[in-house]
């Protein structure tokens, strides 16, 4: 176990990002590779160490396939400063559970007034110290569901509404306790998924060259080789970003007419087919022009556009 990886809440000068003993530094024989295992002074430094570790690992494992991989890892490392800013690593330094969900919360119901109280939190093996950035995370059970194509029934719509109200409550409580910066971080995480993508890339179990190469390619297709400051905050755009093409949407009058035609929205079986890539491109263009629109509505407009270009 690395020295000083664990601390109680306080104001230590550096902090460990990742579990006390982080498996990403040890799986698949990575334990034999000499690398910085923390504590790290910033989130950027943590990802820098992970990138260096992966380069060293694949130089040993698959030296004949390294050219494009090393080029992309070098580029990613060079552009990390475009992803992180100083606000990410602000105090307070606190203890982070690391796997905080309902199954790890023990409760007890009072026999007197039927009130439920939390009596314990278990499974601390992923605990670590972190900053305000790590702390500002909606609990798993109230996070927004990212299923953009689902038509929700009444019960699911009610659950979605309740989760939104709970997120608003959580946001306000964080601001009350930790200040306005905590609220800004929560909003930032909702619209900018780059750090989440980095975590997916380097903290999952990468077993071979093709997997890491695929994850890197996906990252750069979303955010460009310059890792520009692109914000999505929309699961459909995030899903289709690599396939979006430039399209010319109809006039505002035509769009509003199509959206007001209930018969058109409901009966599209006889309409021409529009591929997902094309619908996603229409959806993106509409969103970029300020329309608050669903996938189904974008599909209707895309079908209309296809029909009038054939």
């Amino acid at each position: 176990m690395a020295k000083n990886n664990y601390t109680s809440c306080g104001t230590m000068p550096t902090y460990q990002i990742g579990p006390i003993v982080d498996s990403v530094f040890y799986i698949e024989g990575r334990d034999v590779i000499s690398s910085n295992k923390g504590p790290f002074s910033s989130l950027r430094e943590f990802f820098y160490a992970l990138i260096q570790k992966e380069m060293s690992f694949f130089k040993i494992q698959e030296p004949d396939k390294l050219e494009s991989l090393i080029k992309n890892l070098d580029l990613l490392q060079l552009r990390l400063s475009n992803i992180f800013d100083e606000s990410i690593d602000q105090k307070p330094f606190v203890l982070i559970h690391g796997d905080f969900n309902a199954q790890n919360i023990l409760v007890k119901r009072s026999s007197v007034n039927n009130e439920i109280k939390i009596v314990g939190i278990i499974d601390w093996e992923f605990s670590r110290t972190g900053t305000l950035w790590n702390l500002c995370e909606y609990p798993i059970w109230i996070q927004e569901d990212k299923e953009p194509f689902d038509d929700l029934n009444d019960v699911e719509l009610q659950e979605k509404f309740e989760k939104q109200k709970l997120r608003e409550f959580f946001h306000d409580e964080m601001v009350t306790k930790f200040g306005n910066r905590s609220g800004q971080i929560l909003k930032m995480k909702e619209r900018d998924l780059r750090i989440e993508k980095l975590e997916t890339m380097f903290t999952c179990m990468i077993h071979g060259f093709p997997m890491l190469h695929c994850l890197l390619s996906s990252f750069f297709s979303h955010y460009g080789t310059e890792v520009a400051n692109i914000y999505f905050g929309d699961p459909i755009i995030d899903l289709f970003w690599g396939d979006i093409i430039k399209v010319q949407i109809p006039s505002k009058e035509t769009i509003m007419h199509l959206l007001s035609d209930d018969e058109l929205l409901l009966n599209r079986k006889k309409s021409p087919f529009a591929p997902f890539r094309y619908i996603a491109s229409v959806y993106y263009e509409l969103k970029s022009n300020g329309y608050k629109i669903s996938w189904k509505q974008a599909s209707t407009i895309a079908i209309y556009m296809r029909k009038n270009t054939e």
Side-chain angles (χ1 to χ4, degrees):
M1 184 181 297
K3 186 178 180 181
N4 293 331
N5 280 5
Y6 180 84
T7 183
S8 58
C9 300
T11 55
M12 60 183 292
T14 61
Y15 66 97
Q16 171 72 29
I17 304 170
I20 295 173
V21 179
D22 197 326
S23 62
V24 300
F25 289 99
Y26 300 98
I27 61 168
E28 300 290 326
R30 287 167 171 83
D31 55 320
V32 301
I33 298 172
S34 177
S35 63
N36 180 11
K37 298 179 178 65
F40 302 102
S41 61
S42 67
L43 195 58
R44 184 191 307 169
E45 185 182 323
F46 171 66
F47 281 111
Y48 182 93
L50 286 174
I51 290 170
Q52 290 294 316
K53 173 187 63 65
E54 290 305 296
M55 284 198 283
S56 299
F57 176 74
F58 284 106
K59 281 179 181 177
I60 297 171
Q61 297 297 319
E62 303 192 57
D64 57 326
K65 299 179 180 179
L66 277 180
E67 186 176 352
S68 62
L69 179 65
I70 297 298
K71 181 180 178 181
N72 278 337
L73 286 172
D74 281 339
L75 180 59
L76 181 60
Q77 184 172 301
L78 182 65
R79 303 303 181 190
L80 286 183
S81 59
N82 295 343
I83 301 175
F84 302 99
D85 59 56
E86 293 180 358
S87 67
I88 288 176
D89 300 310
Q90 288 184 354
K91 298 177 182 179
F93 298 100
V94 295
L95 181 64
I96 307 295
H97 183 278
D99 191 22
F100 188 59
N101 56 51
Q103 68 180 352
N104 290 329
I105 302 175
L106 303 180
V107 300
K108 183 178 181 180
R109 188 185 298 274
S110 172
S111 58
V112 178
N113 56 11
N114 212 32
E115 181 179 317
I116 294 178
K117 291 186 177 181
I118 296 174
V119 295
I121 307 293
I122 61 173
D123 286 352
W124 288 87
E125 68 267 31
F126 294 113
S127 61
R128 64 197 187 276
T129 50
T131 59
L132 186 60
W133 175 269
N134 305 108
L135 186 63
C136 292
E137 188 80 41
Y138 290 114
I140 293 173
W141 58 90
I142 66 170
Q143 289 178 9
E144 184 174 7
D145 297 321
K146 299 191 176 184
E147 298 294 339
F149 309 113
D150 288 350
D151 291 326
L152 304 180
N153 59 39
D154 290 343
V155 173
E156 291 167 332
L157 284 171
Q158 180 62 28
E159 290 178 353
K160 186 179 181 69
F161 173 77
E162 290 173 357
K163 284 185 178 181
Q164 176 59 39
K165 301 306 290 184
L166 287 170
R167 285 195 298 274
E168 292 171 4
F169 174 80
F170 183 89
H171 173 278
D172 293 344
E173 287 293 301
M174 290 291 288
V175 169
T176 299
K177 186 164 183 64
F178 297 104
N180 290 330
R181 187 56 190 152
S182 63
Q184 294 168 0
I185 290 175
L186 282 168
K187 295 297 183 184
M188 188 188 304
K189 284 188 171 184
E190 285 183 327
R191 69 176 187 266
D192 189 345
L193 303 178
R194 290 174 297 172
I195 294 178
E196 179 182 316
K197 295 292 185 183
L198 281 172
E199 290 174 344
T200 299
M201 190 186 311
F202 290 110
T203 60
C204 66
M205 300 295 187
I206 298 176
H207 299 294
F209 172 86
M211 183 177 183
L212 181 57
H213 190 272
C214 179
L215 289 167
L216 277 166
S217 299
S218 174
F219 185 87
F220 284 124
S221 73
H222 275 74
Y223 305 110
T225 55
E226 296 299 312
V227 195
N229 194 27
I230 301 172
Y231 297 121
F232 294 105
D234 185 300
I236 293 176
I237 296 173
D238 180 58
L239 179 64
F240 286 105
W241 180 248
D243 295 317
I244 285 176
I245 58 175
K246 182 65 178 176
V247 294
Q248 183 65 46
I249 59 174
S251 67
K252 183 177 180 179
E253 291 75 15
T254 301
I255 290 172
M256 299 313 294
H257 169 71
L258 291 170
L259 297 182
S260 64
D261 192 335
D262 293 336
E263 186 65 28
L264 184 62
L265 285 169
L266 292 172
N267 186 14
R268 298 180 299 174
K269 291 183 179 179
K270 297 181 181 179
S271 301
F273 171 75
F276 268 31
R277 177 187 182 189
Y278 184 77
I279 298 173
S281 301
V282 172
Y283 178 89
Y284 171 76
E285 198 64 36
L286 289 164
K287 285 280 190 175
S288 299
N289 281 272
Y291 290 96
K292 294 182 179 180
I293 197 165
S294 68
W295 174 261
K296 182 181 288 187
Q297 291 171 322
S299 300
T300 298
I301 295 170
I303 290 170
Y304 167 86
M305 291 169 60
R306 294 278 289 190
K307 182 177 180 181
N308 284 272
T309 55
E310 289 182 346

